[in-house]
Every structure is written in C-alpha cells, then in structure tokens.
Amino acid sequence: IKFVRENPEGTRLYLLSHHDSSKLMEAYSLHFPKNGSSEGIMTPHQGQAFLHVLKGKIRFVLDGKDYSLENRDNLYFDSHLSHKAYNDNSRGESSVLWIVSPPNI
C-alpha cells in the first residue's frame, strides 16, 4: 500500500498495487475524514470505475444524481461522467475501494 496524495479536506488516497504502465486497471483505497470528499483526488476521465464501500456511508453524486451507499454497497460507472464522493458518516471516517480502468492517476 502506497500513499498517493491527500486533499485539503484530509481525504487520503492509497495505491493498492505497484504502478505499472502495462496495467489495464488500478485499485485504490480512499479514506474520508468526517465531512471529507473526493474533490481533487478522483476526477472524470475516459474509462470506467468501480467502487465498494468498506466502512461507513458515502453520498455519491454521479452526473447530477445522488446515491446513498452504505457498508458493502457497490457502484460501477463510466468515469467520463462528473462524479464526486462525500463522507456521509456522521460518526467519523468512511473508506472505499475504488478501481479505475484505464489507470489515470
């Protein structure tokens, strides 16, 4: 697990495998502090994405539509659509597994 970056809200992005230009996808773990979001970390790009809620609750806005995701919920979407994840867990941190194809970070 390799730390990649953190946004001003404190959301942290970790790469779960070694980066390799020949890979067709990459898996990440995002850890959202209370009131954190994916702003500036996960951005629209060509390809697809899959996310799985590992802990807490996530409000996910995809192309203007809100989705409420809880522990063990999944979402699969086209990454070129506008999207942002928000920690919706009033009790603290939430985390997700986020897989993107092709790699773009």
Side-chain angles (χ1 to χ4, degrees), residues 7 9-11 32-38 85-90 92-94:
N7 71 10
E9 298 169 347
T11 300
F32 299 83
K34 189 173 182 179
N35 301 317
S37 77
S38 62
Y86 301 88
N87 183 357
D88 209 19
N89 182 6
S90 62
E93 186 175 276
S94 291

Side-chain angles (χ1 to χ4, degrees), residues 43-58:
T43 56
H45 63 91
Q46 291 302 312
Q48 297 180 322
F50 170 85
L51 70 92
H52 175 80
V53 179
L54 299 169
K55 176 183 174 184
K57 296 180 180 181
I58 296 290

Side-chain angles (χ1 to χ4, degrees), residues 58 84 97:
I58 296 290
K84 192 183 297 184
L97 168 68

